[in-house]
Amino acid sequence: MRSADVRRHAATPLTAPLYPLRAARFTDREYLNVVYRTDPQALRAVVPEPLEIDEPLVRFEVMKMGDADGFGPYTECGQVVPVRFDGEHGEYLHAMYLDHFGATAAGRELSAYPKAIGSPALAVEQGALAGTLDWGSQRVATATMAYKWQPLAREEARSQIAVPTFAVKIVPGYQGDLRVCDLTRTEITDITVKEAWTGPARLQLFAHVMAPLADLPVLEIVSASHIVTDLTLAPMRPVYDFLTAG
């Protein structure tokens, strides 16, 4: 393989990359969202400047992908934080856990998603929508919501999941230094809301050193939603360089 051929690849193994180099289209992407109030000091400790926090809120989400281009079905969950950057309201992606290595690698390498391997699940059980996250044999999170309790306006559902999202992109150098350390921005496009519901919910987080979701404790449940959509994820772009910031 010639040098020019190597340069045409953006992922390894060179002969069998894990993901396609294009925007991913998701069909029947199902969300369970639980927004809760947390400790302000704990939240400020994990959200990097220059992002600003208006209220100490966190959204715990479980996403079941009915079908994703290049990956097929898988499940993902994590925590996101409502923030502002340069006057624009959005969400900061704090931590994400997936049961699909290819989607995990693509999120980290091709974009800036803070993805790690875990065992999330989303299912309906006796009138409750239940979302869980396990790390190995240990339970990390359990969220439950009354199933299809009350319709949610489609525009409200769209506004919940179509906000801009921010994440930190880090590319380490070979000697332990940093080659890239950016705040990045992306957004969801071509979104179709197929179903949208709201209702009562509960959320439990359990302390785990490798998945420290419980470091942002649940003080009060604010809202919950169950949304099914088709959508496309736009590419990330850098909006702030931590390496040159004062």
Side-chain angles (χ1 to χ4, degrees), residues 98-143:
L98 290 73
D99 60 2
H100 189 298
F101 177 72
T104 303
R108 295 178 64 92
E109 296 175 10
L110 189 59
S111 297
Y113 295 101
K115 296 188 175 187
I117 286 290
S119 298
L122 184 64
V124 179
E125 299 178 349
Q126 300 186 29
L129 182 63
T132 58
L133 173 63
D134 293 342
W135 186 281
S137 63
Q138 303 300 307
R139 178 56 49 90
V140 176
T142 299

Side-chain angles (χ1 to χ4, degrees), residues 6-12 17-24 69-71 106 109-111 235:
V6 175
R7 291 195 296 270
R8 281 195 288 268
H9 292 77
T12 57
L18 290 172
Y19 45 83
L21 300 179
R22 59 184 175 86
D69 292 356
F71 306 108
E109 296 175 10
L110 189 59
S111 297

Side-chain angles (χ1 to χ4, degrees), residues 22 58 74 76:
R22 59 184 175 86
V58 179
Y74 65 94
E76 177 176 343

Side-chain angles (χ1 to χ4, degrees), residues 29-34 60-64 75 121-133 139 141-150 195-204 224-228:
R29 179 168 174 160
E30 185 176 8
Y31 287 83
L32 169 60
N33 299 309
V34 180
F60 175 78
E61 62 180 10
V62 183
M63 295 172 287
K64 187 175 183 179
T75 306
L122 184 64
V124 179
E125 299 178 349
Q126 300 186 29
L129 182 63
T132 58
L133 173 63
R139 178 56 49 90
T142 299
T144 54
M145 174 184 164
Y147 184 63
K148 295 190 177 182
W149 192 259
Q150 181 71 30
E195 293 188 53
W197 305 89
T198 187
R202 300 290 185 272
L203 175 62
Q204 290 179 289
S225 61
H226 175 205
I227 303 169
V228 181

Side-chain angles (χ1 to χ4, degrees), residues 227-240:
I227 303 169
V228 181
T229 71
D230 296 342
L231 56 86
T232 301
L233 294 180
M236 292 276 186
R237 62 178 179 87
V239 294
Y240 183 87

